[in-house]
Amino acid sequence: MSELVPVLWICGPPGVGKSAVGWELHTQLVDAGVNAGYVDLDQLGMCYPESASDPGRHGMQATNLAAVVANFEAAGISCVVTSGLLDPRRDAPVDPLPRTAVTVCRLRADEDVLRARFVGRGAQAELVDEVLREAAVLDASDFADSCVDTTDLTVEEVVRLMRTRIGQWPGLVARASVAGPAPRRISHAPGPILWVCGATGVGKSTVGWQLFEHARAAGVPAAFVDLDQLGHFRVGDTGVDGDVDVDTGVDVHQVRANNLAAVWDTYRAGGARCLVVNGPVDDPSAVHTYANALPAATLTVCRLHAGPEELTRRILRRGRGGSWWQPGDPLRGQPDSVLKQVANDAARGAADLEQAGVGDHRVDTDGRTVEQVVQAVLAHTGAWPQASSRVRARR
């Protein structure tokens, strides 16, 4: 690998398309055989309330990004694409990231385009006005290495124009080989951590987010992590399809656990007193990987369960756009034939999790609303985060 890791930072106002463009570029790099990682900066700053010394959580996000890039590099990733906000009013919009070469590309759009996008989302007028004010500040800045106007362009057209503007980024990046497992990172930050897991389509993200909101409503400084968003990377010729990359031996769960440990350290230092995590787990050994990365925390694993019919219904709905968009969602936009196969696989996965008895608690979600599932989780966990249970050996 080169001495410095190339990092492309795609910035711009909310709604300009940063995440969609970043994910499309990452996909193109992966398809070209580049060992590339991707991280959405929004996923590295979900910690509330924000510190008065770090408005906008830009410092927190930069700290977490530096840690994630370092962990990706250790796993053999040669370059990283990231997307998120930058504040040009700060003295140093991009905080120095160790061992990285940062290229900043700013996306913009005409005012009427941004307004139409936000009105279409049902945003309140005062929020739209704030976004437009922020966009004007960015348009008046000159901190970025390049700028691409996204007005009336598709995502693919934006990426094509952006790649022209940034030249041959990431340059002649070698395909790094990994000799053995990635180094382990351990967090010594204490605190209750609730991990919501389960099969594809069971509702982990929705329920996890509502549990996070529950903690906030109770007045507990809280943070949230989606494990999938800490593990978007490709190493080797065939990529990562399961727990271990077949070419390099990279343990996907270990890389995510390293990133989770780093992010929890930052969140705890930023004032968080509890953490909600949602994400997949395939067997008890994977849970041990995360538990070993968080030895000082009180980790509680709650597994959501749904039957085959319910999983099929939810996966079809998600594939047809019936949930929020997230970078790297493998279901959104897929034909029904593919979604039904995913649902069949999810049903088998749910059965395997049942047989293995993964988790400290099991909550059936069939026929229940999100709020009912949340209340069931709280009943099982002793009104988490006020009470939580220790990791049990049966994991």
Side-chain angles (χ1 to χ4, degrees):
M1 293 185 66
S2 61
E3 184 177 347
L4 299 179
V5 180
V7 174
L8 178 63
W9 194 320
I10 302 171
C11 66
V16 79
K18 299 180 296 295
S19 296
V21 168
W23 182 255
E24 175 63 24
L25 175 59
H26 170 257
T27 301
Q28 291 184 15
L29 292 170
V30 166
D31 290 345
V34 177
N35 295 344
Y38 172 78
V39 60
D40 187 325
L41 273 182
D42 284 346
Q43 302 293 328
L44 302 182
M46 293 186 178
C47 183
Y48 298 86
E50 70 179 22
S51 169
S53 62
D54 186 21
R57 305 177 189 83
H58 295 290
M60 174 179 287
Q61 291 174 339
T63 298
N64 282 335
L65 178 61
V68 169
V69 170
N71 290 331
F72 276 174
E73 181 188 20
I77 286 88
S78 301
C79 63
V80 176
V81 178
T82 187
S83 55
L85 295 173
L86 279 178
D87 186 354
R89 291 161 291 197
R90 302 177 66 202
D91 292 335
V94 181
D95 289 344
L97 302 178
R99 293 179 50 80
T100 64
V102 180
T103 300
V104 179
C105 181
R106 180 171 66 86
L107 305 184
R108 71 165 310 279
D110 289 347
E111 181 177 304
D112 57 342
V113 172
L114 286 175
R115 182 181 297 277
R117 291 176 184 175
F118 272 84
V119 171
R121 294 178 181 180
Q124 298 176 354
E126 59 269 23
L127 297 179
V128 176
D129 290 340
E130 176 59 29
V131 167
L132 296 179
R133 284 192 293 269
E134 183 173 342
V137 171
L138 289 168
D139 278 342
S141 68
D142 60 358
F143 66 87
D145 298 294
S146 63
C147 178
V148 175
D149 193 327
T150 69
T151 303
D152 298 328
L153 297 182
T154 66
V155 171
E156 292 77 12
E157 290 170 336
V158 172
V159 171
R160 184 162 55 249
L161 183 56
M162 182 175 66
R163 298 192 76 171
T164 300
R165 298 280 173 83
I166 61 178
Q168 297 301 313
W169 190 94
L172 299 176
V173 180
R175 295 187 181 185
S177 61
V178 178
R184 294 181 178 179
R185 172 158 182 161
I186 295 176
S187 167
H188 296 290
I193 297 179
L194 178 59
W195 180 4
V196 182
C197 67
T200 299
V202 77
K204 301 182 291 294
S205 298
T206 303
V207 172
W209 184 261
Q210 290 304 314
L211 287 163
F212 164 65
E213 293 284 13
H214 170 83
R216 291 181 60 195
V220 181
F224 178 84
V225 168
D226 185 329
L227 286 179
D228 277 338
Q229 299 299 321
L230 296 184
H232 287 314
F233 63 91
R234 150 82 177 258
V235 176
D237 292 333
T238 61
V240 179
D241 295 318
D243 291 346
V244 178
D245 181 286
V246 295
D247 289 334
T248 64
V250 175
D251 186 330
V252 180
H253 286 300
Q254 186 62 63
V255 176
R256 286 175 176 161
N258 289 344
N259 287 338
L260 177 61
V263 169
W264 175 230
D265 279 342
T266 305
Y267 286 164
R268 182 72 184 186
R273 291 299 173 262
C274 68
L275 173 66
V276 178
V277 176
N278 71 264
V281 59
D282 304 304
D283 54 55
S285 65
V287 179
H288 281 298
T289 298
Y290 294 93
N292 290 338
L294 304 163
T298 304
L299 178 63
T300 302
V301 180
C302 184
R303 175 169 53 88
L304 306 184
H305 178 78
E309 292 185 1
E310 184 65 18
L311 287 174
T312 299
R313 185 185 69 81
R314 293 176 186 176
I315 287 171
L316 286 172
R317 179 175 177 271
R318 177 172 150 191
R320 295 165 181 168
S323 63
W324 65 69
W325 184 87
Q326 58 180 332
D329 189 339
L331 303 184
R332 196 175 186 90
Q334 293 289 348
D336 283 1
S337 58
V338 172
L339 296 173
K340 289 177 180 178
Q341 182 57 54
V342 170
N344 290 335
D345 294 341
R348 286 193 293 270
D352 291 341
L353 292 172
E354 284 275 272
Q355 184 174 2
V358 170
D360 300 306
H361 308 286
R362 174 195 183 278
V363 173
D364 197 327
T365 67
D366 280 349
R368 285 175 161 174
T369 65
V370 172
E371 179 58 28
Q372 288 172 333
V373 174
V374 168
Q375 291 303 317
V377 171
L378 294 174
H380 278 288
T381 58
W384 187 92
Q386 286 77 6
S388 56
S389 57
R390 286 285 178 183
V391 178
R392 293 201 282 268
R394 70 179 177 82
R395 291 184 187 165

